[in-house]
Amino acid sequence: MKQITTSDAGAIALACGLAAGALAFFASRRDRHGTAVQTHIDTARTFNRSSALLALSVLADSAMEHYRGSFDNPAMYAPLIVSSLSLLAGLHGGSDRESARHPLRSPIYLGAALTGVAGTGFHLYNITKRPGGWSWPNLFYAAPIGAPMALLLSGALGAVAEKLREQPAREPRLFGLPAGQALALLTSAGLAGTVGEVALLHFRGAFHNPVMYAPILVPPVASALLLNTALAAPQPRWFSRVWLRITTALGFAGVGFHARGIARNQGGWRNWSQNLFNGPPLPAPPSFSALALAGLAALRLRETER
């Protein structure tokens, strides 16, 4: 029987990532054309699922990184607990077809958003207390600024989902704007922030693989298209929809490329206990998929607004 090498393992992982991206691509094509109530509930469920995917990314990433930090501060346990709850709330909401706010999901999402804000403060403090303060080495190797923001976005997307369920027969509004417009702005900003974090880490890796340019070239276009969707008059936008699907697939494919990067380290997956920490982070790329799926939901909602 042929032994599977680290290169084979990386190729298998890459294929799995691409397959998952393809599934997400085709799943995102199932747009429903029903009543306004059905559209709002379907959109809410999509936001629940996007929130769950972001929470899963935060849970896996913070569990690894805070374990590496030996949970030096007891507050480092908070994102694990909160992201687990947000993940469960998102999975429950994603299957919930009811048109009413859930009494437990709403406070969980609020807690996730507040924890994300607090975590950002902790990570900023972690950078400033190091010798040299705001410097490239500290930005590269200190606590990542963007990581807690993913938990904030998970809570925000989940809270939006519950808001859409409050009065599904009416045109929902958020922050004084039509909900589709507000959500397009939110997901556009989320994608832009995620690109900034990825650009910093891929710059640290010297872009040694040309594929590393993809997550700093494709998602910014999706962000710009969502911004245009929010600022322009509502109308069908097929190109924006296609580009967001590409961005969704990119996030899942990124897991495969990161798995291949881990396999190329000394010892490959046989030395997983070290290489998972030393290689590219597996939980990071799905953040793009989660935000792109949320962008597709915002786009669908925006097209119904007049």
Side-chain angles (χ1 to χ4, degrees), residues 165-214:
R165 284 185 165 94
E166 281 186 337
Q167 296 176 317
R170 301 182 182 180
E171 287 291 338
R173 298 184 70 83
L174 296 170
F175 312 112
L177 299 173
Q181 183 179 27
L183 294 172
L185 289 171
L186 174 65
T187 50
S188 174
L191 281 168
T194 305
V195 168
E197 181 77 7
V198 171
L200 182 69
L201 296 179
H202 283 198
F203 176 71
R204 184 182 73 180
F207 294 97
H208 65 274
N209 186 332
V211 179
M212 295 173 71
Y213 287 100

Side-chain angles (χ1 to χ4, degrees), residues 60-228:
D61 189 46
S62 60
M64 291 175 58
E65 296 302 320
H66 289 187
Y67 173 78
R68 172 154 56 184
S70 302
F71 292 96
D72 184 60
N73 187 331
M76 295 169 76
Y77 288 101
L80 276 68
I81 298 171
V82 175
S83 59
S84 296
L85 293 174
S86 187
L87 171 60
L88 292 174
L91 292 174
H92 183 268
S95 61
D96 186 3
R97 299 179 181 275
E98 298 296 324
S99 58
R101 179 194 290 262
H102 194 275
L104 291 181
R105 291 199 302 259
S106 295
I108 287 174
Y109 288 136
L110 176 60
L114 293 176
T115 303
V117 172
T120 301
F122 275 112
H123 283 208
L124 288 172
Y125 173 71
N126 180 271
I127 293 174
T128 57
K129 75 175 184 179
R130 287 171 172 250
W134 288 96
S135 63
W136 284 115
N138 286 343
L139 286 174
F140 287 148
Y141 298 107
I145 299 175
M149 296 300 292
L151 187 55
L152 168 61
L153 285 170
S154 176
L157 292 177
V160 163
E162 299 307 302
K163 179 69 175 177
L164 291 176
R165 284 185 165 94
E166 281 186 337
Q167 296 176 317
R170 301 182 182 180
E171 287 291 338
R173 298 184 70 83
L174 296 170
F175 312 112
L177 299 173
Q181 183 179 27
L183 294 172
L185 289 171
L186 174 65
T187 50
S188 174
L191 281 168
T194 305
V195 168
E197 181 77 7
V198 171
L200 182 69
L201 296 179
H202 283 198
F203 176 71
R204 184 182 73 180
F207 294 97
H208 65 274
N209 186 332
V211 179
M212 295 173 71
Y213 287 100
I216 63 170
L217 294 176
V218 175
V221 176
S223 177
L225 290 171
L226 282 169
L227 180 61
N228 181 64

